[in-house]
Amino acid sequence: MVAVLEEIARHRLVPVVVADSVAEGSFIVDALAEGGLPVAEITFRTAAAPDAIAAIASRGDILVGAGTIVSPAQVDTAVDAGARFLVSPGFHPAVADRAAERGVPLVPGAISASEIMAALAAGITTVKLFPAETSGGLPALRALAAPFGDVRFVPTGGIDAANLDAYLAHPRVTAVGGSWMLPRDAVEARDAARIARATSDAVARVSASSQAAPAGLPNG
């Protein structure tokens, strides 16, 4: 689990992918990889998610995870399909327990001190600040980071090219999640070049962040 979190921390970007089909998911990860980002969180917002994860995992060149995990059953489905990390919009003990049993890191959503404390009690030290922008943005992150010195954050929700640099600059941000590099009209038009350009720009911003945070602490 530590190795996966360290890989996420090296890339510092987690694209949030909604794929309506296996073909669409494959197209998206191809465009992301072309832009220099071999990471994808395939959300369980569509019925195609498990098959898309399986197809992407079989390639061997993409760090693929599953998002919008809200039940232990989804943990099993995602891991069986080949997901190497799991992301949840909130914290639920049963989901955390099942992820630990399956040996796959879970990054649960947390937007309050109580949620962070619950995650810590489950042995989780990397949480998803979600929804980041509508829940206070960077001021909220700074406030939550202060009393929890061992916690690292993956802010997600409302982050785009305009505020990416500010989030990356925070020393407790392991990575940033979002879908701004995947505009829906570009996906529908299969405009791989546009997606690759937006992804390349985000990757360049990570590289230019001279004070990049160290690798995230392991969960568990």
Side-chain angles (χ1 to χ4, degrees):
M1 290 197 292
V2 174
V4 172
L5 289 172
E6 288 178 344
E7 190 170 351
I8 290 172
R10 282 196 297 273
H11 292 291
R12 300 200 75 203
L13 295 169
V14 180
V16 178
V17 177
V18 180
D20 290 328
S21 67
V22 173
E24 185 169 271
S26 296
F27 161 76
I28 290 171
V29 298
D30 281 343
L32 290 170
E34 179 66 24
L37 186 56
V39 180
E41 172 196 329
I42 310 299
T43 66
F44 268 54
R45 300 180 192 177
T46 72
D51 289 340
I53 290 169
I56 295 164
S58 69
R59 297 166 44 135
D61 63 337
I62 303 293
L63 176 62
V64 62
T68 323
I69 299 298
V70 298
S71 71
Q74 286 183 328
V75 171
D76 287 332
T77 300
V79 176
D80 289 344
R84 295 179 59 200
F85 65 93
L86 306 172
V87 182
S88 179
F91 176 82
H92 194 291
V95 173
D97 290 346
R98 190 60 182 148
E101 289 169 2
R102 295 300 303 266
V104 176
L106 170 70
V107 181
I111 203 64
S112 70
S114 295
E115 290 170 319
I116 292 174
M117 290 172 68
L120 287 170
I124 294 171
T125 56
T126 302
V127 300
K128 170 184 175 180
L129 188 74
F130 175 81
E133 279 292 283
T134 58
S135 299
L138 275 168
L141 192 156
R142 294 187 190 103
L144 288 168
F148 298 110
D150 292 334
V151 174
R152 298 297 182 267
F153 297 88
V154 182
T156 306
I159 299 174
D160 55 26
N163 56 17
L164 174 62
D165 293 344
Y167 278 97
L168 289 173
H170 195 285
R172 298 279 289 284
V173 168
T174 286
V176 172
S179 57
W180 73 91
M181 71 283 286
L182 299 169
R184 194 64 204 171
D185 59 340
V187 172
E188 291 174 350
R190 296 297 191 265
D191 189 346
R194 181 179 169 194
I195 294 170
R197 284 195 301 271
T199 302
S200 179
D201 174 72
V203 171
R205 289 173 182 232
V206 169
S207 298
S209 182
S210 60
Q211 299 300 318
L217 297 180
N219 287 355

